[in-house]
Structure formats: structure tokens, C-alpha cells
């Protein structure tokens, strides 16, 4: 991994680890191209993993029924032989063209990657946290109040209050519990929306006195100079207000999707979507392709299977930029011993 200007070089930078970005790794890999994948989320799967991990998808060819998470897990297994480098918790932020015609991408956390090709598979846009409706929280944001865990070390030894009742809140209760000094979990209902296994494990921690659970609203965050000193809770049962002493807060109130920095990359767009040709899904910028939900062309359907088709054609277009002196040899996986060897079959 490279940080602070020391660029990693690869064949294709894929923005987005949703189902389409993941399958693009496979199609590019079949042609011998290496990918680096960047996603703002802390895990792969895009909408499938984030919005409907347990819902059955019924229109993936030959899969009678597969949940969003199962599809993600299977795609990860399928692309594993191509060893993609994946950077999570990273917003693909700025893009510049180099003198050699390649692209340099910098993430908001300082990772720099250079490649002849960028493939945008940004779906509905980068997932952005919804902020809690608490007056006066802005001064604390990104100082002692956070909406995501970008680096776990940051939370070690803290007196942490986690707000929220879904999977993210409970995942981080479980992952951070043994690293913090003290932990409070605040949710406005007694029922948690997270998977039952996480709820059961959280209740075990509660029974062991390792997390204090509050069913309450959060009317105020108290402190000075951006540093939280306590959080005021209003009990749902009694209506009484009380202060919980803590120095750090993590709030998980769901996500919305925003186009984000991609809008500033100088690529032609139509109604917040990137216009592409249908030969290989190249954008108005040579060497930048766009596939999946974020691209638009006449007849576009926002379906996973459409994105898979676009991945295959995009990889052929990408090949000509990444291997300008080589001739692309189209091969079926059933008959290419070279591909079978790469895939370990
Ligand atoms: C409830 C629901 C049910 C659905 N059911 C079906 C179905 O049955 N069948 C079907 O085919 N489709 C279904 N869809 C649609 C399907 O989920 C999408 O078509 C698919 O997820 C698109 O894949 P994608 O990889 O293009 O984008 P996404 O899944 O949106 O992934 C894009 C990724 O890019 C990341 N990203 C974006 N911008 C940046 C940036 N600047 N930097 C870093 N990361 C970035 C995002 O964080 C995200 O992880 C459903 C959608 C929803 C919401």
C-alpha cells in the first residue's frame, strides 16, 4: 500500500467494490490485467451488502436464489485467484492525467494509485452517513464524533459511546469492545435491527458488564473545543435526562448515496449519471470507463446482470490502453488452459 504520494502502479483502478466492480476484477483478470479496487465503505458488496444482504435476488442467471451477501461472498471467491488489491474506507477523490497518458488517483486518506485505465463502478454513488439530528454537533465532527471507523487504532483506550441499532453499530460494539476503556450503546428502541447473532453477542457483553445499553434519545452532546466530555440522554421509559461521561462518539444512523467527487473529474454526465458508449463503456475521457448503475446509455437497465455484461466489454476496451503493443486474444474459459491454470482449475 502506498501513502503520502508514493504511488502504486497497476493496470486498472476500479472505483467501487459493488457487485459490478468486483466482477470487473474477474473479467480484467481473464485478460491478464491487474486491478486495484477502492471503496469508501469498510467492506465489499456495494448495495447488495449494505442495503439488502439477506434479501434473495432472483434474476442472476443460473442462480435460482442468492442473497446480496451470498452474491458478494461468491464474487470475492471468484476473483481471489487474481489477487486484487482492495482499499476500503477510501474515497476516490481526485484524478489527474500524467505526461505518459496514465491516470493518477488520490484517495481522501492519501493513497495514490497510477494506471493507464480507470473503471468507475460507483453505482448510486459513495455511501455517505446520515447525520443525527442533534443541535450543535458540528464542532465535534471528525474530532471526537465520527460516523465511520476508518482506523481502529483511533478508538483504542477511549470512553466510547456508540449510537445506533443496526448492523454497523453492533459490528463495532463487538469489534471495539475489548480495545476501549468503557463503552455505552444508545438506541432509541429496545429492539435492534442487526442480525440476531450480533444482538446475542452484544447482550453477552452487556451481561458481563462490558457495555451499558441505553434505550434513549440523544438531545445534546457536551464539551468544548471539539472534545466531547459527556452526552446527554433522554430515557425512552421515564423521559428523564441524564449525562453519560465519554470522550468519543460513533453514530450509525444509516447511509445515503451521493455522487461525491466523481462529479468533478470533468467527465460528461447526464442527470448525475456518466454517459458512455455501448461498445466498451468508455466515457468522454479516453481511458476512463464507467459500468454498472453509475453509467447511462439508451436502454440502460440498473440491474446486476447488465453490469456484469458491461464488465466484459469494458475489459476489452481497457486492454488496448493497458497493453497497447499486444493483440487481444479472445478465449473461452472452457477451452483456455492458460485461464484454467490462472484460476487453479
Ligand atoms: C433494495 C434493492 C433491491 C435490489 N434488487 C435487485 C435485484 O433483485 N436484481 C438486480 O439485478 N438488482 C437489484 N438491485 C439493484 C442492484 O443492487 C444494483 O444494480 C447493483 O448494486 C449495482 O452495482 P454497482 O456495483 O454498479 O454499484 P453499487 O452496488 O452501488 O456499488 C458501488 C460502490 O461504489 C462505491 N463508491 C462510489 N463512489 C465512490 C468513490 N468516489 N470512492 C470510493 N467508493 C465509491 C460505493 O461506496 C459502493 O460500494 C436492487 C437494489 C436495491 C436497493
Amino acid at each position: 500500500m502506498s501513502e503520502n504520494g508514493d504511488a502504486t502502479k497497476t493496470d486498472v483502478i476500479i472505483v467501487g467494490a459493488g457487485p459490478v466492480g468486483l466482477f470487473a476484477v474477474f473479467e480484467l483478470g481473464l485478460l491478464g490485467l491487474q486491478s486495484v479496487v477502492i471503496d469508501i465503505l469498510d467492506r465489499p458488496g456495494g448495495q447488495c451488502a449494505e442495503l439488502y444482504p439477506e434479501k434473495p435476488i432472483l434474476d442472476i442467471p443460473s442462480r435460482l436464489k442468492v442473497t446480496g451477501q451470498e452474491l458478494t461472498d461468491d464474487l470475492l471467491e471468484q476473483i481471489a485467484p487474481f489477487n486484487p488489491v482492495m482499499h476500503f474506507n477510501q474515497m476516490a477523490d481526485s484524478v489527474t492525467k500524467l505526461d505518459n497518458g496514465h491516470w493518477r488517483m488520490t484517495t481522501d486518506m492519501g493513497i495514490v494509485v497510477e494506471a493507464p485505465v480507470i473503471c468507475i463502478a460507483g453505482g448510486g454513488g459513495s455511501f455517505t452517513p446520515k447525520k443525527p439530528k442533534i443541535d450543535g454537533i458540528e464542532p465535534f465532527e471528525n474530532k471526537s464524533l465520527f460516523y465511520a471507523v476508518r482506523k481502529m487504532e483511533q478508538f483504542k483506550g477511549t470512553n466510547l459511546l456508540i449510537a445506533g441499532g443496526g448492523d454497523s453499530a453492533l459490528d463495532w460494539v463487538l469489534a471495539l469492545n475489548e480495545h476501549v476503556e468503557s463503552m455505552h450503546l444508545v438506541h432509541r428502541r429496545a429492539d435492534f435491527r442487526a442480525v440476531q447473532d450480533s444482538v446475542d453477542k452484544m447482550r453477552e457483553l452487556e451481561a458481563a458488564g462490558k457495555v451499558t445499553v441505553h434505550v434513549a434519545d440523544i438531545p445534546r452532546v457536551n464539551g468544548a473545543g471539539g472534545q466531547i466530555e459527556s452526552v446527554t440522554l433522554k430515557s425512552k421509559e421515564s423521559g428523564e435526562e441524564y449525562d453519560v461521561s465519554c470522550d468519543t462518539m460513533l453514530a450509525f444512523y444509516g447511509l445515503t448515496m451521493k455522487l461525491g467527487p466523481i462529479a468533478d473529474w470533468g467527465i460528461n454526465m447526464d442527470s448525475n449519471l456518466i454517459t458512455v458508449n455501448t461498445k466498451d463503456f468508455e466515457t468522454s475521457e479516453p481511458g476512463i470507463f464507467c459500468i454498472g448503475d453509475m453509467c447511462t446509455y439508451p436502454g440502460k437497465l440498473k440491474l446486476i446482470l447488465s453490469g456484469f455484461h458491461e464488465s466484459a466489454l469494458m475489459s476489452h476496451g481497457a486492454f488496448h490502453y493497458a497493453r497497447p503493443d499486444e493483440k487481444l486474444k479472445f478465449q473461452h474459459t472452457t477451452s483456455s488452459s492458460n485461464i484454467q491454470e490462472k484460476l487453479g482449475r
Side-chain angles (χ1 to χ4, degrees):
M1 179 158 116
S2 78
E3 292 199 37
N4 302 327
D6 181 15
T8 300
K9 295 196 171 47
T10 189
D11 292 316
V12 182
I13 303 165
I14 299 176
V15 179
V20 178
L22 294 180
F23 193 63
V25 172
F26 185 79
E27 287 296 322
L28 291 161
L30 290 181
L31 303 184
L33 302 184
Q34 181 68 33
S35 306
V36 168
V37 185
I38 295 169
D39 203 300
I40 183 67
L41 292 177
D42 61 3
R43 64 193 94 187
Q47 294 175 51
C48 295
E50 206 55 50
L51 301 182
Y52 55 101
E54 293 184 350
K55 276 197 182 153
I57 309 170
L58 305 176
D59 56 353
I60 303 296
S62 92
R63 304 292 300 268
L64 297 187
K65 186 164 124 179
V66 59
T67 66
Q69 191 57 51
E70 285 165 349
L71 181 70
T72 303
D73 293 343
D74 290 353
L75 283 167
L76 287 172
E77 195 179 332
Q78 190 172 20
I79 66 176
F82 296 122
N83 299 313
V85 176
M86 303 233 193
H87 294 301
F88 293 106
N89 293 309
Q90 303 282 329
M91 172 84 86
D93 197 19
S94 67
V95 166
T96 48
K97 191 153 196 170
L98 303 173
D99 290 343
N100 64 0
H102 289 193
W103 297 100
R104 172 179 287 168
M105 173 163 295
T106 308
T107 71
D108 62 339
M109 299 287 278
I111 288 181
V112 184
V113 191
E114 290 176 8
V117 177
I118 294 175
C119 172
I120 302 171
S126 51
F127 283 96
T128 312
K130 285 186 195 160
K131 296 186 178 186
K133 293 190 179 81
I134 306 171
D135 286 340
I137 54 167
E138 291 78 14
F140 300 106
E141 287 176 340
N142 298 318
K143 292 193 176 119
S144 54
L145 163 63
F146 304 91
Y147 301 117
V149 177
R150 315 267 318 249
K151 286 198 172 148
M152 259 177 83
E153 297 88 70
Q154 196 178 356
F155 297 91
K156 282 191 178 157
T158 58
N159 294 293
L160 181 63
L161 182 143
I162 295 183
D167 284 311
S168 296
L170 288 220
D171 283 355
W172 288 114
V173 164
L174 303 181
L176 292 171
N177 190 267
E178 62 183 277
H179 303 291
V180 297
E181 193 64 31
S182 66
M183 183 179 272
H184 293 266
L185 173 64
V186 184
H187 183 39
R188 59 181 191 280
R189 283 194 298 272
D191 291 342
F192 286 83
R193 284 174 285 108
V195 293
Q196 195 53 44
D197 183 53
S198 301
V199 178
D200 293 344
K201 287 189 174 130
M202 179 274 289
R203 291 295 182 200
E204 281 168 25
L205 290 175
E206 185 188 21
K210 292 182 172 173
V211 59
T212 309
V213 180
H214 306 261
V215 181
D217 288 324
I218 304 180
R220 270 183 314 283
V221 173
N222 315 302
Q227 179 54 57
I228 295 175
E229 286 160 13
S230 68
V231 171
T232 303
L233 305 185
K234 185 174 182 188
S235 164
K236 281 288 193 188
E237 203 182 41
S238 67
E240 277 175 29
E241 287 194 2
Y242 58 102
D243 285 353
V244 170
S245 179
C246 60
D247 50 45
T248 311
M249 178 171 166
L250 266 168
F252 298 104
Y253 284 60
L255 299 162
T256 53
M257 292 170 93
K258 287 191 182 153
L259 183 57
I262 295 173
D264 303 323
W265 293 354
I267 303 169
N268 286 355
M269 307 199 64
D270 180 11
S271 309
N272 266 353
L273 296 168
I274 295 178
T275 50
V276 290
N277 69 42
T278 47
K279 176 174 159 272
D280 54 14
F281 304 95
E282 193 168 21
T283 69
S284 57
E285 282 295 324
I288 303 189
F289 297 77
C290 182
I291 55 176
D293 277 13
M294 195 169 270
C295 75
T296 185
Y297 52 84
K300 166 70 184 173
L301 290 177
K302 287 190 182 180
L303 285 176
I304 295 164
L305 100 116
S306 315
F308 287 172
H309 158 79
E310 292 153 13
S311 300
L313 271 67
M314 174 280 302
S315 65
H316 283 232
F319 184 88
H320 297 297
Y321 285 95
R323 302 281 185 272
D325 303 326
E326 290 178 32
K327 197 164 183 300
L328 192 155
K329 200 168 147 221
F330 176 74
Q331 293 173 299
H332 284 131
T333 57
T334 42
S335 47
S336 162
S337 51
N338 179 28
I339 290 175
Q340 287 160 7
E341 205 176 300
K342 272 187 207 160
L343 296 174
R345 306 284 152 73

PDB file of all heavy atoms in Angstrom, residues 120-137:
ATOM      1  N   ILE A 120     -14.826   3.244 -13.500  1.00  0.00           N
ATOM      2  CA  ILE A 120     -15.733   3.717 -12.444  1.00  0.00           C
ATOM      3  C   ILE A 120     -16.900   2.737 -12.339  1.00  0.00           C
ATOM      4  O   ILE A 120     -17.631   2.524 -13.300  1.00  0.00           O
ATOM      5  CB  ILE A 120     -16.267   5.129 -12.757  1.00  0.00           C
ATOM      6  CG1 ILE A 120     -15.108   6.118 -12.930  1.00  0.00           C
ATOM      7  CG2 ILE A 120     -17.213   5.609 -11.669  1.00  0.00           C
ATOM      8  CD1 ILE A 120     -15.531   7.489 -13.451  1.00  0.00           C
ATOM      9  N   ALA A 121     -17.022   2.120 -11.175  1.00  0.00           N
ATOM     10  CA  ALA A 121     -18.159   1.236 -10.897  1.00  0.00           C
ATOM     11  C   ALA A 121     -18.798   1.741  -9.607  1.00  0.00           C
ATOM     12  O   ALA A 121     -18.984   0.990  -8.644  1.00  0.00           O
ATOM     13  CB  ALA A 121     -17.688  -0.221 -10.781  1.00  0.00           C
ATOM     14  N   GLY A 122     -19.101   3.026  -9.615  1.00  0.00           N
ATOM     15  CA  GLY A 122     -19.523   3.719  -8.386  1.00  0.00           C
ATOM     16  C   GLY A 122     -20.995   3.593  -8.033  1.00  0.00           C
ATOM     17  O   GLY A 122     -21.442   4.160  -7.035  1.00  0.00           O
ATOM     18  N   GLY A 123     -21.769   2.822  -8.834  1.00  0.00           N
ATOM     19  CA  GLY A 123     -23.173   2.550  -8.502  1.00  0.00           C
ATOM     20  C   GLY A 123     -23.989   3.807  -8.291  1.00  0.00           C
ATOM     21  O   GLY A 123     -23.956   4.746  -9.081  1.00  0.00           O
ATOM     22  N   GLY A 124     -24.697   3.854  -7.182  1.00  0.00           N
ATOM     23  CA  GLY A 124     -25.544   5.011  -6.868  1.00  0.00           C
ATOM     24  C   GLY A 124     -24.728   6.137  -6.266  1.00  0.00           C
ATOM     25  O   GLY A 124     -25.283   7.141  -5.828  1.00  0.00           O
ATOM     26  N   GLY A 125     -23.423   5.973  -6.197  1.00  0.00           N
ATOM     27  CA  GLY A 125     -22.559   6.991  -5.604  1.00  0.00           C
ATOM     28  C   GLY A 125     -21.958   6.474  -4.325  1.00  0.00           C
ATOM     29  O   GLY A 125     -22.229   5.349  -3.901  1.00  0.00           O
ATOM     30  N   SER A 126     -21.124   7.323  -3.716  1.00  0.00           N
ATOM     31  CA  SER A 126     -20.479   6.865  -2.487  1.00  0.00           C
ATOM     32  C   SER A 126     -21.489   6.925  -1.352  1.00  0.00           C
ATOM     33  O   SER A 126     -22.281   7.863  -1.251  1.00  0.00           O
ATOM     34  CB  SER A 126     -19.255   7.720  -2.183  1.00  0.00           C
ATOM     35  OG  SER A 126     -19.590   9.074  -2.221  1.00  0.00           O
ATOM     36  N   PHE A 127     -21.445   5.907  -0.536  1.00  0.00           N
ATOM     37  CA  PHE A 127     -22.338   5.864   0.612  1.00  0.00           C
ATOM     38  C   PHE A 127     -21.872   6.908   1.621  1.00  0.00           C
ATOM     39  O   PHE A 127     -20.708   6.934   2.006  1.00  0.00           O
ATOM     40  CB  PHE A 127     -22.310   4.480   1.253  1.00  0.00           C
ATOM     41  CG  PHE A 127     -23.110   3.469   0.493  1.00  0.00           C
ATOM     42  CD1 PHE A 127     -22.520   2.624  -0.431  1.00  0.00           C
ATOM     43  CD2 PHE A 127     -24.473   3.361   0.714  1.00  0.00           C
ATOM     44  CE1 PHE A 127     -23.273   1.681  -1.123  1.00  0.00           C
ATOM     45  CE2 PHE A 127     -25.235   2.424   0.027  1.00  0.00           C
ATOM     46  CZ  PHE A 127     -24.636   1.587  -0.891  1.00  0.00           C
ATOM     47  N   THR A 128     -22.788   7.779   2.022  1.00  0.00           N
ATOM     48  CA  THR A 128     -22.447   8.858   2.948  1.00  0.00           C
ATOM     49  C   THR A 128     -23.320   8.723   4.194  1.00  0.00           C
ATOM     50  O   THR A 128     -24.527   8.500   4.070  1.00  0.00           O
ATOM     51  CB  THR A 128     -22.737  10.225   2.271  1.00  0.00           C
ATOM     52  OG1 THR A 128     -22.157  10.182   0.963  1.00  0.00           O
ATOM     53  CG2 THR A 128     -22.149  11.376   3.039  1.00  0.00           C
ATOM     54  N   PRO A 129     -22.724   8.834   5.374  1.00  0.00           N
ATOM     55  CA  PRO A 129     -23.514   8.633   6.597  1.00  0.00           C
ATOM     56  C   PRO A 129     -24.587   9.704   6.791  1.00  0.00           C
ATOM     57  O   PRO A 129     -24.351  10.878   6.506  1.00  0.00           O
ATOM     58  CB  PRO A 129     -22.485   8.725   7.720  1.00  0.00           C
ATOM     59  CG  PRO A 129     -21.177   8.966   7.098  1.00  0.00           C
ATOM     60  CD  PRO A 129     -21.324   9.125   5.628  1.00  0.00           C
ATOM     61  N   LYS A 130     -25.751   9.270   7.267  1.00  0.00           N
ATOM     62  CA  LYS A 130     -26.790  10.232   7.664  1.00  0.00           C
ATOM     63  C   LYS A 130     -26.408  10.772   9.027  1.00  0.00           C
ATOM     64  O   LYS A 130     -26.029  10.007   9.910  1.00  0.00           O
ATOM     65  CB  LYS A 130     -28.145   9.525   7.776  1.00  0.00           C
ATOM     66  CG  LYS A 130     -28.773   9.201   6.453  1.00  0.00           C
ATOM     67  CD  LYS A 130     -30.181   8.632   6.688  1.00  0.00           C
ATOM     68  CE  LYS A 130     -30.685   7.955   5.443  1.00  0.00           C
ATOM     69  NZ  LYS A 130     -31.778   7.015   5.681  1.00  0.00           N
ATOM     70  N   LYS A 131     -26.557  12.070   9.203  1.00  0.00           N
ATOM     71  CA  LYS A 131     -26.161  12.663  10.478  1.00  0.00           C
ATOM     72  C   LYS A 131     -27.334  12.670  11.458  1.00  0.00           C
ATOM     73  O   LYS A 131     -28.467  12.894  11.043  1.00  0.00           O
ATOM     74  CB  LYS A 131     -25.669  14.079  10.251  1.00  0.00           C
ATOM     75  CG  LYS A 131     -24.426  14.110   9.396  1.00  0.00           C
ATOM     76  CD  LYS A 131     -23.881  15.499   9.297  1.00  0.00           C
ATOM     77  CE  LYS A 131     -22.617  15.471   8.462  1.00  0.00           C
ATOM     78  NZ  LYS A 131     -21.943  16.747   8.436  1.00  0.00           N
ATOM     79  N   PRO A 132     -27.051  12.490  12.741  1.00  0.00           N
ATOM     80  CA  PRO A 132     -28.140  12.558  13.722  1.00  0.00           C
ATOM     81  C   PRO A 132     -28.641  13.990  13.863  1.00  0.00           C
ATOM     82  O   PRO A 132     -27.877  14.933  13.671  1.00  0.00           O
ATOM     83  CB  PRO A 132     -27.478  12.088  15.022  1.00  0.00           C
ATOM     84  CG  PRO A 132     -26.016  12.204  14.806  1.00  0.00           C
ATOM     85  CD  PRO A 132     -25.755  12.203  13.333  1.00  0.00           C
ATOM     86  N   LYS A 133     -29.927  14.118  14.170  1.00  0.00           N
ATOM     87  CA  LYS A 133     -30.483  15.474  14.332  1.00  0.00           C
ATOM     88  C   LYS A 133     -30.261  15.934  15.767  1.00  0.00           C
ATOM     89  O   LYS A 133     -31.150  15.870  16.607  1.00  0.00           O
ATOM     90  CB  LYS A 133     -31.972  15.462  13.987  1.00  0.00           C
ATOM     91  CG  LYS A 133     -32.228  15.194  12.516  1.00  0.00           C
ATOM     92  CD  LYS A 133     -33.689  15.413  12.144  1.00  0.00           C
ATOM     93  CE  LYS A 133     -33.917  15.165  10.665  1.00  0.00           C
ATOM     94  NZ  LYS A 133     -34.073  13.780  10.281  1.00  0.00           N
ATOM     95  N   ILE A 134     -29.035  16.373  16.046  1.00  0.00           N
ATOM     96  CA  ILE A 134     -28.701  16.883  17.381  1.00  0.00           C
ATOM     97  C   ILE A 134     -28.131  18.288  17.185  1.00  0.00           C
ATOM     98  O   ILE A 134     -27.173  18.460  16.422  1.00  0.00           O
ATOM     99  CB  ILE A 134     -27.630  16.000  18.071  1.00  0.00           C
ATOM    100  CG1 ILE A 134     -28.066  14.524  18.111  1.00  0.00           C
ATOM    101  CG2 ILE A 134     -27.336  16.517  19.482  1.00  0.00           C
ATOM    102  CD1 ILE A 134     -26.979  13.565  18.563  1.00  0.00           C
ATOM    103  N   ASP A 135     -28.743  19.264  17.832  1.00  0.00           N
ATOM    104  CA  ASP A 135     -28.276  20.653  17.666  1.00  0.00           C
ATOM    105  C   ASP A 135     -26.833  20.803  18.134  1.00  0.00           C
ATOM    106  O   ASP A 135     -26.445  20.260  19.169  1.00  0.00           O
ATOM    107  CB  ASP A 135     -29.159  21.622  18.473  1.00  0.00           C
ATOM    108  CG  ASP A 135     -30.520  21.796  17.794  1.00  0.00           C
ATOM    109  OD1 ASP A 135     -30.595  21.490  16.592  1.00  0.00           O
ATOM    110  OD2 ASP A 135     -31.479  22.191  18.493  1.00  0.00           O
ATOM    111  N   GLY A 136     -26.048  21.552  17.409  1.00  0.00           N
ATOM    112  CA  GLY A 136     -24.705  21.947  17.859  1.00  0.00           C
ATOM    113  C   GLY A 136     -23.654  20.851  17.819  1.00  0.00           C
ATOM    114  O   GLY A 136     -22.649  20.936  18.548  1.00  0.00           O
ATOM    115  N   ILE A 137     -23.842  19.821  16.966  1.00  0.00           N
ATOM    116  CA  ILE A 137     -22.825  18.739  16.973  1.00  0.00           C
ATOM    117  C   ILE A 137     -21.650  19.038  16.043  1.00  0.00           C
ATOM    118  O   ILE A 137     -20.610  18.400  16.139  1.00  0.00           O
ATOM    119  CB  ILE A 137     -23.408  17.351  16.609  1.00  0.00           C
ATOM    120  CG1 ILE A 137     -24.163  17.399  15.277  1.00  0.00           C
ATOM    121  CG2 ILE A 137     -24.217  16.788  17.735  1.00  0.00           C
ATOM    122  CD1 ILE A 137     -24.469  16.022  14.731  1.00  0.00           C
TER     123      ILE A 137
END
